[in-house]
Amino acid sequence: MKMPYRKRYSILLLIGSILLAVQGCSRQEAGPAIAFPSDAQIHKALQTQFAQDPANEAARQLVRTLAGERGALRYQVRQVIYRQGAFETRYDAALHLGQPGATSLQALYGTMIPQAERDKLPAQDLAGYEAWLQQHLAGLDKTDAPQAQALRATLQVLGECYRNAAEGSEVVVMQQLAALLSPERSGWFAEKLPAAGASVRCLPV
């Protein structure tokens, strides 16, 4: 025996109303969408943390030496993960060179030579500094082989990273770093996090 059309129609309307109510509840339970910080906001927060932390003074000086006065430390965001009101950010750090890479090498190598020895050099340039460092390495090979090996490896890496780098290019110096970003009244606050996979490259060690 077939159900009357009107009764069937009423039942379908009732089922549709129930489904809409259930969907509405599901949407309410899901809550508002999470507002992730933009890459620009993350970059600004990391810059502020680097500039204000007293423990970063030596690192800030190294950035000025390698990047130049017109250079800067920049951040390349790789991943952002929501962590109960805060955001874990994983990123790389790169130097935006405000000078040719060869100039960066000359400035850095000059700091690696004692002032008294540097004043004796006939030429205050990259070639002169490299010649002194190579001579210094020859002496270390006889007196402190492990230190000589470490210095030789450092000079090789630095040369590969900067010698042919053009002004305006970017040199990645640290990879797989991590920070926790929390909202504050003026924007975002960045706090460094330990990162097991972090690695250093293109920096003196």
Side-chain angles (χ1 to χ4, degrees), residues 15-202:
I15 293 173
S17 299
I18 293 172
L19 289 174
L20 287 174
V22 169
Q23 291 173 355
C25 290
S26 298
R27 285 195 294 268
Q28 292 176 359
E29 290 172 358
I34 298 172
F36 281 78
S38 66
D39 284 9
Q41 290 172 320
I42 293 171
H43 190 278
K44 182 179 178 180
L46 291 172
Q47 276 189 323
T48 300
Q49 191 280 331
F50 182 73
Q52 294 181 351
D53 189 346
N56 290 332
E57 178 53 36
R60 288 192 290 266
Q61 179 58 50
L62 183 59
V63 168
R64 288 191 291 268
T65 299
L66 286 173
E69 293 299 328
R70 293 180 297 174
L73 183 63
R74 294 184 176 177
Y75 303 97
Q76 302 169 352
V77 178
R78 300 302 182 194
Q79 189 176 25
V80 183
I81 305 169
Y82 180 67
R83 300 289 192 196
Q84 299 181 346
F87 297 88
E88 180 182 335
T89 301
R90 298 174 184 175
Y91 62 97
D92 298 339
L95 289 178
H96 178 78
L97 299 183
Q99 60 192 14
T103 302
S104 300
L105 281 182
Q106 179 177 325
L108 180 62
Y109 289 171
T111 67
M112 298 168 66
I113 302 173
Q115 182 68 49
E117 295 294 325
R118 194 163 67 245
D119 291 341
K120 298 176 185 177
L121 296 177
Q124 303 289 320
D125 56 16
L126 178 57
Y129 293 164
E130 287 183 322
W132 187 93
L133 288 170
Q134 291 300 324
Q135 185 177 1
H136 180 60
L137 271 173
L140 283 177
D141 281 330
K142 301 175 183 178
T143 60
D144 192 338
Q147 185 178 353
Q149 183 177 0
L151 178 57
R152 184 173 286 107
T154 295
L155 295 177
Q156 180 179 348
V157 168
L158 293 174
E160 292 171 354
C161 290
Y162 296 99
R163 190 177 305 279
N164 297 317
E167 180 178 350
S169 62
E170 294 200 348
V171 177
V172 176
V173 293
M174 298 189 75
Q175 294 178 304
Q176 300 184 49
L177 302 173
L180 189 68
L181 264 70
S182 304
E184 61 176 355
R185 292 177 65 180
S186 60
W188 293 89
F189 175 80
E191 180 182 3
K192 289 183 180 179
L193 292 176
S199 60
V200 178
R201 58 190 306 271
C202 298

